[in-house]
Amino acid sequence: ETGVTQTPRHLVMGMTNKKSLKCEQHLGHNAMYWYKQSAKKPLELMFVYSLEERVENNSVPSRFSPECPNSSHLFLHLHTLQPEDSALYLCASSQDFNSYGYTFGSGTRLTVV
Amino acid sequence: AQSVTQPDIHITVSEGASLELRCNYSYGATPYLFWYVQSPGQGLQLLLKYFSGDTLVQGIKGFEAEFKRSQSSFNLRKPSVHWSDAAEYFCAVGGSQGNLIFGKGTKLSVKP
């Protein structure tokens, strides 16, 4: 039990589909993150939320839409994705923004066909 | 700009042998440094971190790392590798915007 749970573990979707990734943390942390992990590339920070407010958006295409309804839940809504969006999407949380002590979930392996 | 370089993409060591994984960083101020491990199909687990103080840091699973400011390095070591240590290892530096900046990772294979 890592304290950060991601669902689903695997997702296959067509380019015209709409789907959502879910992340839930049970650690009482105030900051949550979405990272994208592609083969042979460093982990890319996508979004950061601190106390349910977005504080970072690293020029991510609008086909990725995050939502943080409360400090325990984080979603990543996906629509009209491209095959190059296939990757492992990792959620992480930390006590506070800038505290760096990340706890990661196991990730969602996304395949876009 | 802050960055992390892990020069070795893939390393193979024999079980029981010593291990050193290299990490170099680029950061203007005193860095916060981290090593994470990722097993196949899993998320990242924190092995150890350096914020300040003693430059030799002990972590979980028998790992240690040494911060060398003059070399901008934070190499990970283990005196005797076990087959269960086979995984991918990521070095990271705390960025100025509160995020972690990761290297590309080093995949470790362990020979029996």
Side-chain angles (χ1 to χ4, degrees):
Chain A
E1 173 58 56
T2 65
V4 177
T5 304
Q6 290 187 243
T7 54
R9 291 296 308 273
H10 300 273
L11 177 62
V12 179
M13 59 185 289
M15 289 189 285
T16 58
N17 291 159
K18 289 185 180 181
K19 296 286 184 183
S20 295
L21 310 185
K22 179 182 177 181
C23 176
E24 183 174 3
Q25 57 99 359
H26 315 280
L27 302 167
H29 287 171
N30 295 315
M32 297 186 77
Y33 310 79
W34 279 117
Y35 275 86
K36 176 183 178 182
Q37 185 177 30
S38 305
K40 301 181 181 179
K41 293 176 69 175
L43 276 78
E44 302 171 61
L45 179 64
M46 300 177 73
F47 300 104
V48 180
Y49 276 82
S50 176
L51 297 171
E52 300 144 50
E53 303 242 343
R54 191 190 306 181
V55 296
E56 183 84 17
N57 175 0
N58 277 2
S59 302
V60 178
S62 60
R63 57 185 183 270
F64 295 91
S65 174
E67 178 190 4
C68 188
N70 54 63
S71 60
S72 297
H73 294 87
L74 184 65
F75 294 89
L76 188 63
H77 303 298
L78 316 171
H79 65 98
T80 59
L81 294 191
Q82 304 298 312
E84 61 264 28
D85 297 322
S86 299
L88 182 67
Y89 289 84
L90 291 165
C91 175
S93 69
S94 63
Q95 185 61 55
D96 297 293
F97 182 59
N98 277 348
S99 67
Y100 299 119
Y102 287 20
T103 300
F104 280 87
S106 296
T108 295
R109 172 67 64 187
L110 173 67
T111 303
V112 182
V113 298
Chain B
Q2 300 123 21
S3 65
V4 175
T5 302
Q6 294 181 247
D8 304 304
I9 297 173
H10 190 184
I11 284 182
T12 300
V13 300
S14 298
E15 190 167 17
S18 63
L19 171 70
E20 182 169 28
L21 301 182
R22 296 184 290 165
C23 172
N24 294 98
Y25 66 89
S26 172
Y27 190 74
T30 300
Y32 296 159
L33 295 162
F34 307 80
W35 274 100
Y36 283 83
V37 60
Q38 185 179 32
S39 298
Q42 299 297 316
L44 279 69
Q45 181 184 19
L46 179 66
L47 284 176
L48 48 78
K49 60 187 176 185
Y50 171 78
F51 281 9
S52 64
D54 193 344
T55 56
L56 185 62
V57 180
Q58 301 297 320
I60 61 171
K61 304 185 180 187
F63 285 92
E64 66 177 26
E66 186 171 12
F67 170 56
K68 292 186 178 180
R69 184 187 299 276
S70 61
Q71 298 176 20
S72 298
S73 69
F74 189 57
N75 294 349
L76 182 71
R77 301 193 295 246
K78 186 169 185 179
S80 178
V81 169
H82 188 261
W83 64 267
S84 59
D85 293 324
E88 191 154 18
Y89 292 79
F90 293 89
C91 182
V93 64
S96 58
Q97 297 177 320
N99 57 310
L100 283 181
I101 299 165
F102 289 87
K104 292 185 178 181
T106 297
K107 183 177 180 181
L108 173 65
S109 297
V110 180
K111 291 190 298 185

